[in-house]
Amino acid sequence: MNGFIPLHKEVGMTSFACVAAVRKIVKQKRIGHGGTLDPDVDGVLPICLGVATKLVNRLQTMPKTYTGQITLGFATDTEDLSGQEIARERIQVPMTNDQIDAALASFQGDYEQTPPLFSAVRVNGRHLYEYARAGESVERPRRLVHVYQFSRTTEPVFDAAAGEQTFSFTAKVSKGTYIRTLASDLGTRLHVPAVMSQLTRQSSGGFQLADTVTIAELDDAAAADRLNDYVQPIQAVFTDVPHYDLNSAGWERVQHGNYLKIDRPAKDGDELFLRYRGDIQAIYQYAESSHTWRAELMLLHEVEEKE
């Protein structure tokens, strides 16, 4: 099978475990996912099948949307509830809505973020979490991310006994953004420790939570020989990229990676998804210098030729 399965990852599972479970159900080796989710996070995890694994990087560059909760008053070493508490400052007077909203809004746009120590980011060939577990210090690389939206969605709840304040939020962010770090950095701007206390990924890779299927549902579908009902074709995801249907002569050239001359308006760097017999076979890019379309990424589905 080739295409995407928008999986609903459940809390407690790693993204790797989800891929392994789907691989067992669909009985094929060539499978990947379009963006890691922490075990404590649920939500949309796009699964890529067959030639669609070549498009993982494209899925990951799409903005992602999350909903969750942030608690002010304490912090952990993992920046979420799975870690050990490292700071606590009782909130005596609750933050006002205006204070919280102004701090949230201040993150919109480009923002330089330091990934959490307990993360899969690599430094000198090792994951940051490996340094953390070994108790070794390491300089974490800062990187520029983009926050499209970061806003409060509920009235904050103040727990006077615990000295904590919690509210729900929604965030739309670019590739590589850690929401738990965003929560921690929000606390810094509010001058109190903070932690991400719940998170759900609502959209990723062009899929919404309403589009997803659970592993149990996939298992049932496999038993009923209905797996194809849950596999989305490549063209259903990349709807913003124009498509072009090849004739047999064009298909022959594409199979050998040859350039094409196509009579359509284009500017340098434009992309075109090339289809043959209903399947996307390649992504070509326009070269203005030669007025030709040239291979950028080859997918090459198997084609059953008609007699």
Coordinates of all heavy atoms in Angstrom, one line a residue, residues 259-262 266 286-294:
Y259 N 14.0 15.5 -18.3 CA 13.2 16.7 -18.2 C 12.0 16.7 -19.1 O 11.9 15.9 -20.0 CB 14.1 17.9 -18.5 CG 14.5 18.1 -20.0 CD1 13.6 18.7 -20.9 CD2 15.7 17.6 -20.5 CE1 13.9 18.8 -22.2 CE2 16.0 17.7 -21.8 CZ 15.1 18.3 -22.7 OH 15.4 18.4 -24.0
L260 N 11.1 17.6 -18.8 CA 9.8 17.7 -19.6 C 9.6 19.1 -20.0 O 10.0 20.1 -19.3 CB 8.6 17.2 -18.8 CG 8.5 15.8 -18.4 CD1 7.3 15.6 -17.5 CD2 8.5 14.8 -19.6
K261 N 9.0 19.3 -21.2 CA 8.5 20.6 -21.6 C 7.0 20.6 -21.5 O 6.4 19.8 -22.3 CB 9.1 21.0 -23.0 CG 10.5 21.3 -23.0 CD 10.9 22.1 -24.2 CE 12.4 22.6 -24.1 NZ 12.7 23.5 -25.3
I262 N 6.4 21.4 -20.7 CA 5.0 21.4 -20.5 C 4.5 22.8 -20.7 O 5.0 23.8 -20.2 CB 4.6 20.9 -19.1 CG1 5.1 19.5 -18.8 CG2 3.1 21.0 -18.8 CD1 5.0 19.0 -17.4
A266 N 4.5 29.2 -15.5 CA 5.3 28.9 -14.3 C 6.4 29.8 -14.1 O 6.9 30.5 -15.1 CB 5.8 27.4 -14.5
Y286 N 10.2 23.6 -11.9 CA 10.4 24.4 -13.1 C 11.7 25.2 -13.0 O 12.1 25.8 -12.0 CB 9.3 25.4 -13.3 CG 9.4 26.2 -14.6 CD1 9.2 25.5 -15.8 CD2 9.6 27.6 -14.6 CE1 9.2 26.2 -17.0 CE2 9.7 28.2 -15.8 CZ 9.5 27.5 -17.0 OH 9.6 28.2 -18.2
A287 N 12.5 25.0 -14.1 CA 13.8 25.7 -14.2 C 13.6 26.8 -15.3 O 13.5 26.5 -16.5 CB 14.9 24.8 -14.6
E288 N 13.6 28.0 -14.9 CA 13.3 29.1 -15.8 C 14.4 29.3 -16.8 O 14.2 29.7 -18.0 CB 13.1 30.4 -15.0 CG 12.4 31.5 -15.8 CD 11.9 32.7 -14.9 OE1 12.2 32.7 -13.7 OE2 11.3 33.6 -15.5
S289 N 15.6 29.0 -16.4 CA 16.8 29.2 -17.3 C 16.7 28.4 -18.6 O 17.1 28.8 -19.7 CB 18.1 28.9 -16.6 OG 18.1 27.5 -16.1
S290 N 16.1 27.2 -18.5 CA 15.9 26.3 -19.6 C 14.5 26.1 -20.1 O 14.2 25.4 -21.1 CB 16.5 24.9 -19.3 OG 15.8 24.3 -18.2
H291 N 13.6 26.8 -19.3 CA 12.1 26.6 -19.7 C 11.7 25.2 -19.7 O 10.9 24.7 -20.5 CB 11.8 27.3 -21.0 CG 12.2 28.7 -21.1 ND1 11.6 29.7 -20.3 CD2 13.2 29.4 -21.8 CE1 12.2 30.9 -20.6 NE2 13.1 30.7 -21.4
T292 N 12.2 24.4 -18.7 CA 11.9 23.0 -18.6 C 11.5 22.6 -17.2 O 11.8 23.3 -16.2 CB 13.0 22.1 -19.1 OG1 14.2 22.4 -18.3 CG2 13.4 22.3 -20.6
W293 N 10.8 21.5 -17.1 CA 10.5 20.9 -15.8 C 11.5 19.8 -15.5 O 11.6 18.9 -16.3 CB 9.1 20.4 -15.7 CG 8.0 21.5 -15.8 CD1 7.5 22.0 -17.0 CD2 7.4 22.2 -14.7 NE1 6.6 23.0 -16.7 CE2 6.5 23.1 -15.3 CE3 7.5 22.1 -13.4 CZ2 5.8 24.0 -14.5 CZ3 6.7 22.9 -12.6 CH2 5.9 23.9 -13.2
R294 N 12.1 19.8 -14.3 CA 13.1 18.8 -14.0 C 12.8 18.0 -12.7 O 12.2 18.6 -11.8 CB 14.5 19.5 -13.9 CG 14.9 20.1 -15.3 CD 16.3 20.6 -15.3 NE 16.7 21.1 -16.6 CZ 17.2 20.4 -17.6 NH1 17.5 19.1 -17.3 NH2 17.5 20.8 -18.8

